Amino acid sequence: MPITINSKELLEVLRVTPPEQNIMLAGRHGIGKSQILTSYFEELGMKVVALFLGQMSDPGDLLGLPEKNATTGTTDFMPPYWFPVDGKPIVLFLDELNRARPEILQTVMDLALNRKLAGRKLPEGSRIISAVNEGEEYQLTDLDPALVSRFNIYTFRPTVDEWLVWAEKTGLDSRVVNFIRVHPELLDHSADSSEDQGLDKDPDRRAWTKVADIMKNVTNISPVLIKIVGGVVGIHAAETFYNFLNQKSLIAAEKILTDYPNVKKIMKDYELHQLCVVIDSIYEFADAGALDSLDITIVKKNLTAFLKELQKNNQEAFAYFISDFTSDKYSKLQLFIAGNLAGIYNRINKFIIDQ
């Protein structure tokens, strides 16, 4: 049975696993494996080298080119461009491991077992992390059990909530972020099923980031947007996105926290599912660290007014706010309320006790 981990758990795996133990991550493409690894290790000052093994046609692409040793008369291999000749440890990310040719995998075996490549040893403290694609849509190579046994194996399944927090933090176009809040099922999957030359497009996290970059240049929502976005995430997801944009947009979390009196009347018309989306967005806004840029006095005043209004006129929405408050998905807004809004904190506790 595969061991499944999310983004937060992956960071803990990276933290506690000794460098001499190799790690293998299984998952679909475009879910953020390389991005998380690169960000984590670069913050530690380590260079991350990504090698796409599925694109290599010959072991020489990995080993380097052969040359004659003028002294011994034997053949040596020149170090490949990525090899750390300065002696500093690196993180070697072997992407698409199960799309590599068998002869490439034989070279990887020595690398994974002995940390050597053509007789050269990786610097002490270097890490080897591989990624394998899973799914019937990939042309895959069966991996030798002896090679697989050299890796600690995890199936990587990042959650939608983690992506939303990351998207807020990164500043992705709010129209894309709000769409995924309402349609989380389309973040990594689509109902598309085209028979068109195997060129199916399916949404994934990388694709939605591309859509967000496209949307920076879009002010008028016209039908041509379906085709533009469809080329990135597939026609089903693009049509759903287009229909979403043509509906009334929900109030942004920042607007509620800084200008609630002026949006209060608009929010009175929201249905429960819309309020739930808004509530989630407030938690995600806080977890992205965005509260730090706002005036704390104004935030306290507006958040208090918003929650009192919820408790007074929409008990179900207030209960949903508390379900987020007591979950382990978020932390920063809970700490903010506990430390700054004693009255609201007491209301929440009383509500929980009374249920």
Side-chain angles (χ1 to χ4, degrees), residues 234-281:
I235 193 65
H236 170 71
E239 287 177 342
T240 309
F241 181 59
Y242 175 77
N243 292 334
F244 171 82
L245 293 180
N246 278 300
Q247 296 172 355
K248 186 173 162 180
S249 297
L250 298 180
I251 301 297
E254 183 175 2
K255 192 72 173 175
I256 295 170
L257 295 173
T258 59
D259 195 23
Y260 180 65
N262 287 325
V263 299
K264 177 179 175 181
K265 290 182 179 180
I266 299 174
M267 296 182 65
K268 279 186 177 181
D269 296 329
Y270 282 5
E271 297 179 8
L272 177 61
H273 74 277
Q274 293 175 306
L275 285 171
C276 291
V277 170
V278 167
I279 289 168
D280 285 342
S281 73

Side-chain angles (χ1 to χ4, degrees), residues 62-273:
L62 190 59
L63 291 171
L65 296 175
E67 65 174 351
K68 182 179 179 180
N69 188 309
T71 303
T72 65
T74 59
T75 299
D76 288 340
F77 285 86
M78 292 185 290
Y81 74 93
W82 57 265
F83 196 87
V85 294
D86 58 2
K88 295 181 180 179
I90 65 168
V91 178
L92 190 57
F93 180 48
L94 306 176
D95 205 358
E96 301 179 340
L97 183 68
N98 59 340
R99 298 184 70 185
R101 295 170 178 265
E103 55 269 29
I104 300 292
L105 292 177
Q106 290 301 316
T107 303
V108 172
M109 178 75 83
D110 188 35
L111 193 58
L113 178 60
N114 301 311
R115 299 300 177 98
K116 287 185 178 180
L117 192 67
R120 294 185 181 86
K121 193 171 181 63
L122 288 175
E124 194 72 25
S126 293
R127 289 177 173 267
I128 296 177
I129 300 175
S130 69
V132 296
N133 295 322
E134 59 173 6
E136 296 179 356
E137 68 269 35
Y138 302 109
Q139 296 179 358
L140 305 178
T141 303
D142 290 335
L143 297 179
D144 189 317
L147 175 61
V148 173
S149 69
R150 302 300 174 186
F151 290 85
N152 304 347
I153 303 174
Y154 306 95
T155 297
F156 182 49
R157 295 268 195 275
T159 67
V160 175
D161 288 331
E162 288 172 331
W163 185 87
L164 288 169
V165 169
W166 170 84
E168 286 276 11
K169 201 171 193 175
T170 308
L172 257 61
D173 190 282
S174 61
R175 291 167 292 184
V176 173
V177 178
N178 287 333
F179 172 74
I180 296 300
R181 283 197 189 99
V182 177
H183 295 281
E185 75 282 0
L186 289 177
L187 178 58
D188 296 304
H189 178 68
S190 172
D192 285 355
S193 179
S194 170
E195 299 178 359
D196 213 12
Q197 304 174 7
L199 298 178
D200 299 357
K201 292 298 294 186
D202 217 30
D204 57 45
R205 293 158 196 245
R206 185 185 301 137
W208 283 116
T209 301
K210 291 180 180 179
V211 172
D213 289 337
I214 289 172
M215 294 304 295
K216 291 177 183 177
N217 303 312
V218 175
T219 53
N220 298 318
I221 308 303
S222 65
V224 71
L225 187 66
I226 297 177
K227 293 185 176 181
I228 296 171
V229 174
V232 186
V233 296
I235 193 65
H236 170 71
E239 287 177 342
T240 309
F241 181 59
Y242 175 77
N243 292 334
F244 171 82
L245 293 180
N246 278 300
Q247 296 172 355
K248 186 173 162 180
S249 297
L250 298 180
I251 301 297
E254 183 175 2
K255 192 72 173 175
I256 295 170
L257 295 173
T258 59
D259 195 23
Y260 180 65
N262 287 325
V263 299
K264 177 179 175 181
K265 290 182 179 180
I266 299 174
M267 296 182 65
K268 279 186 177 181
D269 296 329
Y270 282 5
E271 297 179 8
L272 177 61
H273 74 277

Side-chain angles (χ1 to χ4, degrees), residues 313-331:
N313 295 317
N314 200 317
Q315 288 276 306
E316 288 179 290
F318 188 66
Y320 185 85
F321 183 93
I322 292 175
S323 71
D324 273 355
F325 189 89
T326 56
S327 75
D328 58 2
K329 292 192 300 184
Y330 311 106
S331 60

